[in-house]
Amino acid sequence: MIRGGSSYVASAPSFSNDAKKLLVCTGNTVSVFSVATGLKITSLEGHTAPVTTLIVVPASTAAQKILCYCWTASLDGTIRHWDFSGPELLKTIDAHVPIYSMVIPSLLSEPHLTDSTKLVAYVSVEDASLVKEGSKELRGHIRRFNLAKERLPRGDTLKETEEPKSIVISPSGEFFGILHKCKIHVWDTVTSGGSIRNAVSKKMTLHHTKVINAFAFHPTERIIAAGDVTGRVLIWRGFGNRKLALGSQKKNVRSVVDLDNPGVRDGDDAESSTTWHWHSAEVNVLNFSSDGEYLYTGGREGVLVVWKLDTGKKKFLPRIGSPLLYFMWSPDPTLSSVVCADNQIHLLKMPSMEILRTISGIKPPPSLPKMYEGLASTVAFDRSSGVAALCTENYCVQLYNLLNDRGISEVQVCERNHQPGDEITVVVTAVALSLDGSVMSTTEVKLAEDGIGGLVSLKFWVSEPDNKTFTLSTIVYEPHKDAGVSAIAFHPTRSMAVSTSFGGDFKIWVCNGSDKDSSSWTCHAVGSYKKKPMTAAAFSGDGTVLAVAAEKVITLWNPGKNILLSVLGATLTPITKLCFAGKSEFLVAASHVPKPQLSVWNTSKLSLSWSYELRIEAVTSAVDSSAFAVLALIPETFKKSKSKKNIFSGRDGAILLFNGSDPKPVSIWTVIKGEGGSISFLEGEDDKSQLRLAYVNGSHEYVVFHPNSDETHERCAEGLTGDEETAGDFGYTSLYGKLPDYDKKRLECVESLATPFVSSERPWETIFSGSTLNFPPLQKLCGEFFESLMEKRTAVVE
Amino acid sequence: MEEELRVRLNDHQVSKIFPVKPKSTAKSVSKSETTDSRYWSSFKPNSNIPKLVSSVAALAFSPVHPHSLAVAHSTTVSLFSSHTLSVSRRFSFKDVVSSVCFRSDGALLAASDLSGVVQVFDVKERMALRSLRSHKAPARFVKYPFQDKLHLVSGGDDGVVKYWDVAGATVISDLLGHKDYVRCGDCSPVNDSMFVTGSYDHTVKVWDARVDTSKCIAEINHGGPVEDVVYLPSGGMIATAGLNSVKVWDLIGGGRMVCSMESHNKTVTSLCVGRMGLDEAAENRLVSVSLDGYMKVFDYGRAKMTYSMRFPAPLMSVALSPDSSLRVIGGSNGMLFAGKKKKLPDAEKKATSFWSVNSQVEESRRRALRPTYFRYFQRGQSEKPSKEDYLVKEMKGVKLARHDKLLKKFRHKEALVSVLEEKKPANVVAVMEELVARRKMMKCVSNMEEGELGLLLSFLQRYCTVQRYSVLLMALTKKVLEMRAEDINGKEEFKGVLRNLKREVNQEIMIQQSLVEIQGVIAPLMRIAGRI
């Protein structure tokens, strides 16, 4: 089983002492990347909750540069000490409360102190133990821990806040501080360190009129820079001369008390305060250069600004394309890194600020306008190579290798200059990959302004074999007049594609021209059925039949000759997804507005075989076998019922694996963030017949597993997915009132049995599954049904 | 240094600047550039030939260099020089000339006229050398056999094909068999005594002068009055033209039809065989002209029509010069459509240029470069990289037009105005689309000053009904008129533009109405066709 797609940007990364490695917090683990290649070397595994803080023990001498020690703190309440060259866990300290942030000042102020027994850490924790319902106790605590002991006492609390805050420490290790709305609280580590028993260490506060987003300490002087939500950068010089004075400076302090301090508010303890304004939106990144000459700022606009501290002159690195989150400089003066909100870590060559390399994580899904939510199909899979094409921000399609957990390339679908935070006016609504992964098709919609200038375009991209960079082959403007494209599907064997539109027609596109340069896609046929909106399309496994959903009916076509073969009855609601179950004659249709339904149709008998009342997010089918899997959202009513609360802890979706005509799922896994998720079968790595199932959830985390092996099931249970047999509402629920009752009983039975898959010989389970046509006469059924109930009762007695 | 180079090569831009680009337009699916179309369209039309008196009945090229051209029109045969396309000599007749033919050495010329006389001229003299009188009705064709310099074949409306001894001006044999007018004929390109004739009795007969019986040795039925017949270069196949079809027959295979082309709409009047180029591998094509004004090129090897060209008159005759540098077509109104190929640079020329480079090098060596020369500063710039040189490509900068730069600075209205001044409609529409995507179009329109508004209105007036832009521009025009109504109202300078706009709109409405009418006519037809 492969997991991946974790966020690289949840907390700040850190360079190793030789600047050859970059440590990145990736969920529960810390990944170590090589700076030279941008590839993952190793990972530190051990935490059971997301890692929030990562501190590399700095080197004081050149000889120490090879040392690879680091401290991590996590929401699981532990602080761990690692040797990441190994990697090896050296020490675990249990703090019992989730740690949101941690600083260790003595590592910076006294780097020669290698003895960890005297280390003191300041942590920001969330202590919910004292918080009762309705009380005014504050959850966030800033505490002092002595890292010498294995198990920690409660520690001294310095400050309480509503939320746990992140602590910022000065590069010299003298001060640390937190943000609190419009204020910055700063503590002095020397004085507070000197008097361990005195819990109240020296503290000072700086005030501002706007909410402050980020701040940073100057490495050598007493300067604090802060950025607020309006984009201003404030610089306080000479802070804390009065309140945080060190013993040697006490004499000077008295002399400056009465001076007029320009720009400083409320008699704050600072000599002067200046404001710089360039950013148009909030400032998220603030960092001084290691020599203290420059200040780096960045924010929503995705522009890194370098200010010369003396003069205020600016230099820019524009068009990074995504809001900035962190800026880190490395021990190597020519290298630094910028972390972006789109899960990318850019390594910069320093004085010139060129982007050397990008460590590319899976990009988050785009934020779509409301009308496209749920309609867009923004993830496509290449089954043979395990590559997923994911729509992301900036009109990009990212090609991500799910098996290696690496970004391969990016395709800019729409050539526009992107400003993060702009109103979204161009939306990539669908992406599809051909079965061999050589052709990609995308559609985008330009939204109209006041009814003018709307445009739908369909694009076909081709790639070189074994090189996943796609180049544009054909653009079709307004493929279905001004109607939007609802779905794109590729023919399994020929270079043929079909696009369906809400305007009531579908078009079959074929590629003419054999070589890559001259080939282009042209319309081969147009079809429509009673002018109904076409909402979904699928080719059969051998490509001889094209199924197009015309709202509530399914039309079957011969794609080559464009002849209507037959029409499959009507569902209750418009169909949104279609899929042939492998090479079998079964066709899976899903619809969800206003009433969700999953229905399976037999195309040889032209009849409905069975259906569930489930909201389906994605359907996939195996190429060779008749197995298919659906990603269903667990109905609210089902989730609320008390007996199942423990099963669906935080899980809102379920993957159901079916086999052909059998309405009983072969296996079920419950998953988190199922909404907006996608699933697909992938070919096995060694044996092509051994299938793997890939699931990408709504926030682009994914898992790839073997659906048929037992080993997966056990491991699934602990993490992202868990397996538990659940039952949907059978189609005959309405017919027989007692059925739901019986379902519940069966569930309980399953739970008590603990093994997820019950292969019992109880006959009633198969009676109710199957086509209406095959339904036995009512008299016979009644007898058997009551018989089964009686049998059930005896089972309960046992 | 090397390290740095590698780093530079590796680096990739995270996010690029994209200039505003107009929508690409569709290319035609059929490949416009086939070898055939390239070859046949490369004949440059020559327009300075004076219009001849009446229909051009026949054309013939001399088989020897410089391939002068004989044109039969009215009662005259004019001899044109193939270089200058000017008349060098005229031969006059008593009646309308129907056919003309050169001898294999190009020294003599035979022509037939409607009085039934066949005359033989020396190309350098005015007077006829021989007058062959035997046809009792108009003679329609005369032809010299392939290499034979002493005999002639002629045919006429009396239905008799005559084999002449030219020196004695006597008929050697009367070949009887055609039941209707004999209109055309051709002599075999491989054999001196074989020839074919085509007649209005739908048949083409193959004759052999060596056979005494004066009977044809083979017969082919074309299925219509035969207008022209030609031997294909192999000598074993012939092509016939009659009605609107051209058919290719295999004579050796017993008169079997190989293929037929029926893409002309009217009677095909003349055929000829042309070679595509001079080299060994060049293929032959059958060129046909017809009364519908089309010249069509037929690849009989693949049984495919490869090229078609339209002329503004019914066409009567066609000829291609033996060196394939000239293509001449005669029209029924006396127009002569001549197309000439450009001369390719010869191999000789290449040799001289090679030498001239050498001399240049020597010259430059003589004049040593000094810092006062301009060339001094350009030295070495055109140096080509040698094999072992490591090539570092310069980063290609993005070319930004003026409106792109303005858009980059968010000066939207100025960008729109600057692109409107450029007068490239595709670019204007592209900028407008970008403004729409930025949600700034309406703001731009409302901020425009009077002059700029005039610019915008005249652009809208000109292009709003162009199909490619109409979706955007029609909506925009409406919006502009709504938003700026009080500014536009009663202004002198906008009156003309608005009047034109109104006319455009009315025209468009009329077009739409007529389209709807046509659709109304077609729809039932389609319905019926669909039912069948």
Side-chain angles (χ1 to χ4, degrees):
Chain A
M1 189 169 66
I2 303 160
R3 280 169 197 288
S6 53
S7 170
Y8 293 170
V9 300
S11 50
S14 185
F15 280 100
S16 68
N17 283 324
D18 53 359
K20 286 180 178 161
K21 291 171 186 168
L22 184 70
L23 284 80
V24 180
C25 300
T26 50
N28 297 357
T29 60
V30 174
S31 299
V32 182
F33 287 91
S34 158
V35 166
T37 59
L39 299 180
K40 190 165 155 182
I41 304 168
T42 178
S43 65
L44 314 179
E45 290 170 7
H47 283 292
T48 54
V51 180
T52 52
T53 309
L54 175 65
I55 301 167
V56 174
V57 176
S60 55
T61 59
Q64 280 184 339
K65 284 205 168 178
I66 49 159
L67 292 181
C68 301
Y69 296 111
C70 71
W71 290 88
T72 59
S74 156
L75 292 182
D76 62 2
T78 57
I79 299 167
R80 289 173 198 239
H81 190 206
W82 308 80
D83 180 357
F84 58 85
S85 61
E88 193 183 348
L89 176 62
L90 301 177
K91 192 173 174 185
T92 306
I93 298 159
D94 200 349
H96 303 293
V97 279
I99 300 168
Y100 282 83
S101 182
M102 175 177 78
V103 292
I104 308 175
S106 49
L107 287 180
L108 298 162
S109 56
E110 299 162 78
H112 51 273
L113 188 88
T114 48
D115 182 15
S116 71
T117 54
K118 285 181 187 168
L119 284 178
V120 169
Y122 293 89
V123 294
S124 165
V125 299
E126 181 180 26
D127 193 350
S129 61
L130 299 171
V131 180
K132 287 161 201 138
E133 295 273 336
S135 75
K136 284 187 181 175
E137 285 285 346
L138 300 171
R139 290 169 162 269
H141 292 252
I142 307 293
R143 287 186 186 163
R144 237 176 74 96
F145 281 151
N146 192 340
L147 296 179
K149 296 163 195 160
E150 287 284 328
R151 298 181 68 80
L152 287 172
R154 254 195 79 208
D156 317 320
T157 301
L158 298 182
K159 169 90 184 157
E160 292 180 353
T161 53
E162 294 87 356
E163 297 286 313
K165 301 281 179 187
S166 80
I167 310 177
V168 178
I169 188 162
S170 73
S172 61
E174 282 179 85
F175 309 103
F176 65 92
I178 59 161
L179 282 174
H180 190 244
K181 289 177 186 162
C182 306
K183 286 175 275 187
I184 300 173
H185 301 292
V186 180
W187 284 271
D188 183 343
T189 59
V190 180
T191 49
S192 60
S195 53
I196 290 170
R197 273 165 197 80
N198 184 11
V200 186
S201 65
K202 287 201 175 174
K203 177 186 135 182
M204 61 160 290
T205 306
L206 294 168
H207 294 81
H208 182 47
T209 51
K210 300 277 178 346
V211 174
I212 298 171
N213 253 358
F215 75 105
F217 290 96
H218 192 275
T220 51
E221 291 168 54
R222 290 196 162 195
I223 299 175
I224 286 183
D228 69 10
V229 286
T230 60
R232 287 192 184 82
V233 177
L234 290 106
I235 293 171
W236 283 282
R237 288 167 200 271
F239 68 90
N241 279 347
R242 277 174 280 158
K243 291 183 182 169
L244 302 180
L246 301 173
S248 59
Q249 292 172 330
K250 260 179 187 168
K251 281 173 199 164
N252 309 340
V253 173
R254 297 238 163 88
S255 61
V256 295
V257 166
D258 303 324
L259 284 179
D260 181 29
N261 298 344
V264 179
R265 242 167 252 287
D266 300 344
D268 281 350
D269 186 7
E271 279 174 15
S272 69
S273 171
T274 48
T275 306
W276 287 337
H277 198 176
W278 181 88
H279 293 278
S280 60
E282 65 200 42
V283 178
N284 293 331
V285 175
L286 270 173
N287 210 336
F288 285 95
S289 65
S290 53
D291 57 355
E293 285 289 304
Y294 298 95
L295 175 67
Y296 298 92
T297 65
R300 273 265 304 278
E301 312 91 342
V303 180
L304 182 67
V305 186
V306 187
W307 306 80
K308 185 133 175 48
L309 208 57
D310 307 338
T311 58
K313 277 191 178 165
K314 299 181 286 284
K315 244 175 82 183
F316 304 99
L317 174 63
R319 286 185 292 281
I320 301 174
S322 181
L324 306 185
L325 294 181
Y326 310 104
F327 174 86
M328 308 296 298
W329 40 264
S330 73
D332 180 0
T334 63
L335 189 73
S336 64
S337 77
V338 160
V339 180
C340 293
D342 59 354
N343 216 357
Q344 311 281 306
I345 301 172
H346 301 297
L347 298 170
L348 304 183
K349 193 178 136 189
M350 234 10 241
S352 58
M353 294 209 291
E354 282 174 72
I355 290 175
L356 279 181
R357 203 159 287 106
T358 301
I359 297 171
S360 172
I362 200 161
K363 285 195 169 187
S367 54
L368 294 171
K370 213 153 197 156
M371 55 193 286
Y372 290 101
E373 270 173 17
L375 288 176
S377 56
T378 54
V379 184
F381 295 89
D382 176 4
R383 294 177 172 216
S384 49
S385 60
V387 170
L390 310 132
C391 289
T392 67
E393 291 284 354
N394 196 6
Y395 336 111
C396 273
V397 171
Q398 188 188 25
L399 292 152
Y400 198 84
N401 193 329
L402 299 181
L403 307 179
N404 300 349
D405 197 7
R406 278 182 64 196
I408 300 171
S409 63
E410 245 171 64
V411 178
Q412 182 123 23
V413 173
C414 174
E415 294 205 331
R416 279 200 70 221
N417 302 320
H418 173 72
Q419 257 81 38
D422 272 4
E423 188 186 353
I424 295 163
T425 56
V426 182
V427 189
V428 178
T429 55
V431 59
L433 277 173
S434 67
L435 206 66
D436 58 349
S438 65
V439 186
M440 181 171 77
S441 177
T442 59
T443 60
E444 78 215 41
V445 179
K446 281 188 183 163
L447 303 176
E449 179 193 11
D450 277 2
I452 63 167
L455 182 73
V456 181
S457 41
L458 174 70
K459 288 180 180 173
F460 290 96
W461 308 78
V462 288
S463 75
E464 306 275 353
D466 58 65
N467 170 16
K468 287 287 170 210
T469 50
F470 282 88
T471 48
L472 186 61
S473 153
T474 309
I475 311 180
V476 186
Y477 296 108
E478 304 188 316
H480 301 276
K481 302 208 184 102
D482 51 350
V485 176
S486 54
I488 314 169
F490 276 96
H491 193 280
T493 49
R494 289 162 57 191
S495 53
M496 180 188 269
V498 63
S499 68
T500 60
S501 90
F502 299 112
D505 61 341
F506 69 88
K507 285 190 179 178
I508 295 172
W509 306 89
V510 292
C511 183
N512 50 24
S514 50
D515 54 329
K516 187 181 153 267
D517 298 324
S518 67
S519 71
S520 65
W521 289 75
T522 49
C523 184
H524 163 71
V526 186
S528 68
Y529 183 76
K530 294 185 177 173
K531 299 250 165 81
K532 282 184 184 172
M534 301 290 202
T535 47
F539 280 99
S540 67
D542 52 356
T544 51
V545 179
L546 166 67
V548 181
E551 238 176 0
K552 292 175 188 174
V553 297
I554 302 167
T555 54
L556 299 178
W557 301 76
N558 179 333
K561 293 174 183 163
N562 198 31
I563 302 166
L564 179 64
L565 301 174
S566 60
V567 179
L568 283 180
T571 56
L572 300 170
T573 49
I575 293 165
T576 53
K577 289 192 172 67
L578 271 182
C579 182
F580 276 91
K583 290 210 159 103
S584 69
E585 73 268 29
F586 293 100
L587 179 62
V588 188
S591 52
H592 68 79
V593 182
K595 213 177 157 195
Q597 188 182 14
L598 168 70
S599 50
V600 174
W601 298 79
N602 190 330
T603 53
S604 58
K605 289 177 186 165
L606 299 178
S607 64
L608 179 72
S609 346
W610 51 270
S611 77
Y612 280 109
E613 200 179 302
L614 280 175
R615 169 146 180 213
I616 301 301
E617 279 290 310
V619 186
T620 183
S621 75
V623 176
D624 300 320
S625 66
S626 64
F628 66 91
V630 298
L631 172 63
L633 296 187
I634 297 166
E636 286 300 318
T637 51
F638 207 74
K639 249 193 277 183
K640 274 176 193 155
S641 64
K642 271 201 175 159
S643 60
K644 278 132 222 152
K645 231 173 193 170
N646 52 343
I647 307 172
F648 304 117
S649 53
R651 302 201 171 119
D652 61 347
I655 299 173
L656 295 91
L657 182 67
F658 292 95
N659 206 346
S661 61
D662 191 5
K664 204 178 81 173
V666 177
S667 41
I668 298 177
W669 301 268
T670 55
V671 294
I672 54 167
K673 291 182 199 163
E675 196 161 352
S678 187
I679 52 171
S680 174
F681 280 105
L682 301 181
E683 281 171 15
E685 49 216 310
D686 327 309
D687 183 13
K688 285 206 170 174
S689 62
Q690 201 188 13
L691 284 171
R692 287 182 290 182
L693 196 58
Y695 164 64
V696 178
N697 75 8
S699 53
H700 283 182
E701 292 159 337
Y702 67 83
V703 61
V704 180
F705 59 96
H706 290 279
N708 299 325
S709 72
D710 299 332
E711 168 254 350
T712 333
H713 295 158
E714 288 153 25
R715 284 174 59 186
C716 270
E718 64 197 34
L720 181 68
T721 63
D723 60 338
E724 206 71 52
E725 178 108 349
T726 62
D729 299 338
F730 282 81
Y732 298 96
T733 322
S734 51
L735 214 72
Y736 300 100
K738 286 190 179 174
L739 259 179
D741 198 352
Y742 139 73
D743 261 352
K744 256 184 214 162
K745 275 181 192 165
R746 192 178 127 224
L747 244 184
E748 280 158 19
C749 190
V750 168
E751 277 164 28
S752 63
L753 275 172
T755 50
F757 309 117
V758 195
S759 55
S760 67
E761 272 78 51
R762 285 172 290 186
W764 63 81
E765 289 204 342
T766 50
I767 292 175
F768 299 109
S769 51
S771 163
T772 359
L773 296 171
N774 307 334
F775 207 60
L778 197 62
Q779 293 91 335
K780 196 181 169 191
L781 196 70
C782 250
E784 268 189 314
F785 178 62
F786 281 114
E787 201 179 325
S788 72
L789 281 183
M790 284 163 72
E791 196 181 332
K792 177 77 186 170
R793 198 157 291 165
T794 54
V796 168
V797 167
E798 279 170 27
Chain B
M1 183 65 196
E2 201 181 5
E3 184 110 348
E4 195 176 270
L5 269 182
R6 202 176 304 140
V7 162
R8 284 198 131 221
L9 292 173
N10 269 341
D11 76 353
H12 62 283
Q13 213 79 27
V14 173
S15 167
K16 295 169 218 149
I17 309 174
F18 295 108
V20 170
K21 259 190 285 182
K23 280 188 218 169
S24 47
T25 50
K27 276 177 239 154
S28 65
V29 179
S30 62
K31 281 177 202 153
S32 56
E33 276 292 285
T34 59
T35 49
D36 268 66
S37 67
R38 204 177 309 131
Y39 180 80
W40 291 106
S41 59
S42 67
F43 287 98
K44 281 268 150 58
N46 190 324
S47 56
N48 51 15
I49 305 173
K51 194 174 167 181
L52 304 174
V53 181
S54 92
S55 167
V56 178
L59 296 164
F61 273 104
S62 163
V64 295
H65 198 78
H67 306 297
S68 52
L69 168 70
V71 179
H73 58 101
S74 182
T75 58
T76 334
V77 170
S78 305
L79 213 56
F80 283 76
S81 140
S82 67
H83 281 295
T84 58
L85 285 171
S86 58
V87 179
S88 60
R89 195 173 293 276
R90 278 178 215 277
F91 307 97
S92 31
F93 290 77
K94 289 201 184 75
D95 209 333
V96 175
V97 184
S98 58
S99 172
V100 63
C101 173
F102 276 100
R103 201 167 74 171
S104 59
D105 58 358
L108 296 188
L109 176 107
S112 61
D113 65 20
L114 294 190
S115 63
V117 182
V118 175
Q119 287 177 299
V120 179
F121 295 88
D122 189 323
V123 291
K124 296 195 176 87
E125 288 173 39
R126 281 187 92 91
M127 294 307 292
L129 296 177
R130 293 286 185 281
S131 287
L132 314 175
R133 291 164 202 274
S134 174
H135 280 293
K136 296 184 179 70
R140 288 293 179 175
F141 93 92
V142 60
K143 208 91 188 178
Y144 267 104
F146 168 53
Q147 290 281 331
D148 190 351
K149 294 177 181 173
L150 305 174
H151 298 95
L152 264 179
V153 182
S154 74
D157 285 358
D158 53 2
V160 185
V161 177
K162 290 176 191 285
Y163 190 62
W164 298 89
D165 173 32
V166 179
T170 52
V171 178
I172 295 173
S173 52
D174 281 332
L175 305 169
L176 303 169
H178 281 300
K179 298 186 187 78
D180 207 333
Y181 300 166
V182 176
R183 298 288 291 195
C184 54
D186 196 15
C187 297
S188 163
V190 289
N191 191 321
D192 279 344
S193 49
M194 297 279 286
F195 51 91
V196 292
T197 57
S199 152
Y200 273 8
D201 63 359
H202 300 194
T203 60
V204 171
K205 290 185 195 290
V206 186
W207 309 91
D208 192 341
R210 294 165 293 193
V211 181
D212 269 345
T213 53
S214 81
K215 267 192 183 166
C216 67
I217 52 169
E219 192 182 293
I220 285 161
N221 196 332
H222 178 80
V226 181
E227 289 286 348
D228 202 359
V229 56
V230 288
Y231 264 104
L232 298 184
S234 63
M237 306 225 284
I238 59 166
T240 59
L243 294 182
N244 54 3
S245 63
V246 173
K247 292 178 183 177
V248 178
W249 309 84
D250 184 1
L251 286 184
I252 296 167
R256 184 172 55 87
M257 189 174 81
V258 178
C259 55
S260 111
M261 173 190 77
E262 293 176 6
S263 55
H264 283 290
N265 291 323
K266 285 187 184 170
T267 305
V268 181
T269 49
S270 180
L271 291 175
C272 81
V273 176
R275 206 172 161 77
M276 293 195 8
L278 288 171
D279 45 328
E280 288 293 311
E283 292 178 31
N284 288 310
R285 295 282 186 272
L286 192 61
V287 183
S288 63
V289 294
S290 147
L291 292 179
D292 60 6
Y294 276 96
M295 176 198 86
K296 305 226 175 196
V297 178
F298 186 60
D299 182 355
Y300 54 88
R302 297 182 187 84
K304 207 168 103 182
M305 222 230 351
T306 54
Y307 186 71
S308 165
M309 192 171 176
R310 171 92 204 255
F311 290 91
L315 305 179
M316 297 303 290
S317 51
V318 61
L320 288 159
S321 75
D323 61 358
S324 8
S325 68
L326 197 60
R327 179 217 65 207
V328 193
I329 294 170
S332 68
N333 58 356
M335 285 294 284
L336 203 62
F337 306 104
K340 205 166 178 182
K341 249 187 141 44
K342 262 191 200 160
K343 276 251 169 89
L344 291 169
D346 290 340
E348 272 179 81
K349 263 193 181 168
K350 276 178 199 163
T352 56
S353 67
F354 174 74
W355 287 110
S356 70
V357 166
N358 254 5
S359 64
Q360 232 174 29
V361 169
E362 270 165 34
E363 191 192 18
S364 65
R365 213 168 269 161
R366 257 179 288 148
R367 286 173 49 196
L369 287 173
R370 296 219 188 100
T372 48
Y373 295 165
F374 179 61
R375 270 196 307 124
Y376 177 84
F377 296 101
Q378 294 180 315
R379 68 196 189 282
Q381 277 183 10
S382 54
E383 199 74 27
K384 293 276 182 300
S386 65
K387 235 177 208 174
E388 57 268 21
D389 280 348
Y390 186 75
L391 274 177
V392 180
K393 285 230 173 86
E394 198 179 358
M395 286 257 275
K396 236 185 187 174
V398 184
K399 202 176 176 189
L400 291 179
R402 195 159 159 252
H403 55 260
D404 284 319
K405 285 176 191 157
L406 289 168
L407 281 175
K408 224 175 108 191
K409 291 174 187 160
F410 305 99
R411 289 156 72 175
H412 298 123
K413 190 195 76 177
E414 282 149 77
L416 182 59
V417 171
S418 89
V419 78
L420 278 171
E421 279 162 358
E422 265 171 44
K423 299 215 164 71
K424 282 179 189 155
N427 285 0
V428 177
V429 172
V431 169
M432 284 177 174
E433 275 169 357
E434 176 63 26
L435 289 176
V436 165
R438 294 185 183 193
R439 296 286 180 266
K440 290 289 182 297
M441 190 71 218
M442 293 300 107
K443 197 135 227 179
C444 281
V445 171
S446 62
N447 284 347
M448 277 187 154
E449 278 157 36
E450 233 159 67
E452 296 158 353
L453 194 61
L455 208 60
L456 177 65
L457 278 176
S458 60
F459 171 81
L460 289 176
Q461 175 259 315
R462 186 174 297 174
Y463 293 104
C464 74
T465 50
V466 175
Q467 193 267 330
R468 208 187 303 162
Y469 315 127
S470 59
V471 176
L472 174 72
L473 293 187
M474 278 186 183
L476 181 65
T477 311
K478 217 175 130 199
K479 217 71 200 192
V480 169
L481 292 179
E482 268 174 29
M483 285 175 66
R484 305 296 300 261
E486 58 265 36
D487 299 316
I488 297 166
N489 251 347
K491 290 269 162 62
E492 274 305 311
E493 60 261 43
F494 296 140
K495 252 184 193 162
V497 176
L498 287 182
R499 194 176 51 234
N500 290 345
L501 191 61
K502 201 169 173 186
R503 198 184 56 219
E504 289 282 334
V505 170
N506 285 336
Q507 245 170 25
E508 188 63 28
I509 288 170
M510 271 162 63
I511 291 170
Q512 293 294 333
Q513 266 169 353
S514 57
L515 285 177
V516 169
E517 277 166 28
I518 292 169
Q519 200 175 15
V521 174
I522 291 173
L525 293 177
M526 295 290 280
R527 182 73 49 98
I528 293 162
R531 221 174 275 158
I532 294 158

